[in-house]
Amino acid sequence: MTEYYFAPLEGITGCHFRQVHHRHFPQMDKYFMPFLVPHEKRTFNRKELREMDPENNRGFYAVPQIMTNQAEAFITTAKKLQERGYEEVNLNLGCPSRTVVSKGRGSGFLAFPEELDRFLEKIFDGLDLKISVKTRIGVEREEEFPVLLNLYNRYPIKELILHPRLQADQYRLPVRREVWKWAVSESKNPLCYNGDLQTAAQLKQFRQEFPTVKKIMIGRGLLRNPGLIQQVRTGRVLDKQQLRAYHNDLYQTFQDTQCGARNVLFRMKEHWGFLIDLFEDAKKYGKKIKKAQRLCDYERAVDQLFAERELVLSKEGEADA
């Protein structure tokens, strides 16, 4: 059976979100945590400690992600996570943010394959735990990827999570499917696909096209339809009652954990930026939610949306075998 992973999105898929999502949709195989950046001059801050606290990730398989180009910092952080009971850590070589890339981190590290090779050698020699890698195919040219894949093939990577775009592509250009197809035939490590699979039909088509690939990571598709893997695995399509229960739990959780109504509204509006597409002809309702400045105004806008609009989900692509 195909395994499905929830991709990390900074500021959105934090521990409180993961808890709520898992309560309502327990079909996910793994949740990847938004990246930690090791710091030489300080210990973990309060937010980082909260994210990595095993109690905040109990009941589901959570994978901490580390973003650095310093092997010693990666090893030190990974050992601290291992002491907390984590079985696997993930190296972020995929983030395309220019701020990150300018520091040689994330996908910026891909521009320096010799340094990356030394980095990987040190962390695999220095750690006794599972290490997965999330990567893009290069920085500016597809021709960079054979060098990178040859490098990855030399190490016992738990899973190579491949987002088949260049750093320069950001998220705007289409995924480079031919490069992905080549990786399927040439990778010596287990591959996980990540990129632009957002519906049950798309997942079904992908599985049919790549039957040997048994691991798929999804990010924005799960934020747009939190019940996507439920639909794929069981055939149950998300309905308004289930979505409302999920929304209410998320809303209450943010009220319990965020400081002040402004922060609660900010968090919920982030999620509605994805969820609003579930409803037919809902543009004006989305605007009301976005403009809400008080919790009572927000609640009124959401109530109106659920009362007056239907979901537009299709049953196509259900029932993964």
Side-chain angles (χ1 to χ4, degrees), residues 265-282:
L265 287 171
F266 176 77
R267 292 297 183 196
M268 292 308 301
K269 289 176 183 180
E270 279 189 312
H271 285 277
W272 274 113
F274 297 97
L275 294 174
I276 197 66
D277 291 335
L278 285 172
F279 292 84
E280 62 181 4
D281 191 25

Side-chain angles (χ1 to χ4, degrees), residues 6-24 31-36 45-64 86 223 246 249-250 253-254 256-258 267 271:
F6 207 133
L9 285 91
E10 178 66 18
I12 298 180
T13 60
C15 62
H16 299 127
F17 168 81
R18 296 193 295 271
Q19 293 164 3
V20 172
H21 187 270
H22 180 71
R23 278 198 291 271
H24 294 265
Y31 290 84
F32 283 71
M33 299 157 60
F35 60 76
L36 295 166
N45 61 33
R46 184 179 301 178
K47 177 184 176 182
E48 291 167 337
L49 289 170
R50 183 178 67 240
E51 283 295 309
M52 69 175 65
D53 186 342
E55 287 300 317
N56 289 331
N57 295 285
R58 188 171 298 280
F60 51 86
Y61 193 101
V63 181
Y86 291 99
L223 291 174
Y246 164 77
D249 193 356
L250 192 63
T253 297
F254 285 155
D256 293 341
T257 59
Q258 301 295 315
R267 292 297 183 196
H271 285 277

Side-chain angles (χ1 to χ4, degrees), residues 93 110 135-139 141-146 148 162-167 169 176 179-180:
L93 296 175
L110 303 179
T135 185
R136 290 197 171 214
I137 61 173
V139 179
R141 298 178 296 110
E142 290 184 6
E143 289 75 17
E144 299 170 40
F145 186 59
L148 292 169
L162 182 58
H163 184 100
R165 284 187 173 101
L166 299 166
Q167 183 274 325
D169 295 339
R176 297 173 184 256
V179 179
W180 163 256

